[in-house]
Amino acid sequence: MPVPEPLAGLLLELVGNRQNMTTVNPDSQWLFPGRRAGQPVHFSTLLGHLRDDLGIPAQATKSATLRQLVLQAPAPVVADALGFSSSHMNRIWVEAGGS
């Protein structure tokens, strides 16, 4: 998936320096490999690392990001791109102050 700079550079650096690749899925192509061969890390595991290890309030960050997205692009487009229902994105749009 195309990713703009500066995030693209950070992701490439992360791929080149992934930790624990000798113990779990050493040949994995996933950015965040899971314990099962060929599978990514489970979202709840990644969420725990973000929250507990890095202090990132992932749920609040997700909500704020969705609010900003629906103010910049039509809610149905955002819903389709991210796999949410249109009614959910419309509700977020209203909560974000869309008119």
Side-chain angles (χ1 to χ4, degrees):
M1 169 165 80
V3 177
E5 289 295 342
L7 183 58
L10 293 171
L11 290 174
L12 289 172
E13 182 180 335
L14 178 61
V15 167
N17 296 307
R18 290 181 290 173
Q19 298 176 357
N20 296 328
M21 292 305 291
T22 58
T23 58
V24 176
N25 293 324
D27 298 321
S28 177
Q29 298 299 311
W30 288 100
L31 180 59
F32 302 106
R35 292 182 185 203
R36 292 185 186 172
Q39 296 296 311
V41 68
H42 193 267
F43 79 91
S44 62
T45 302
L46 188 56
L47 181 65
H49 286 303
L50 289 171
R51 182 187 59 239
D52 301 336
D53 300 340
L54 299 174
I56 298 173
Q59 187 61 44
T61 303
K62 174 186 165 189
S63 299
T65 301
L66 289 175
R67 284 188 198 99
Q68 188 64 36
L69 278 173
V70 296
L71 291 174
Q72 294 179 1
V77 172
V78 174
D80 187 49
L82 299 178
F84 289 101
S85 71
S86 290
S87 61
H88 179 68
M89 284 295 107
N90 282 328
R91 189 170 45 252
I92 290 174
W93 177 70
V94 170
E95 291 171 2
S99 57

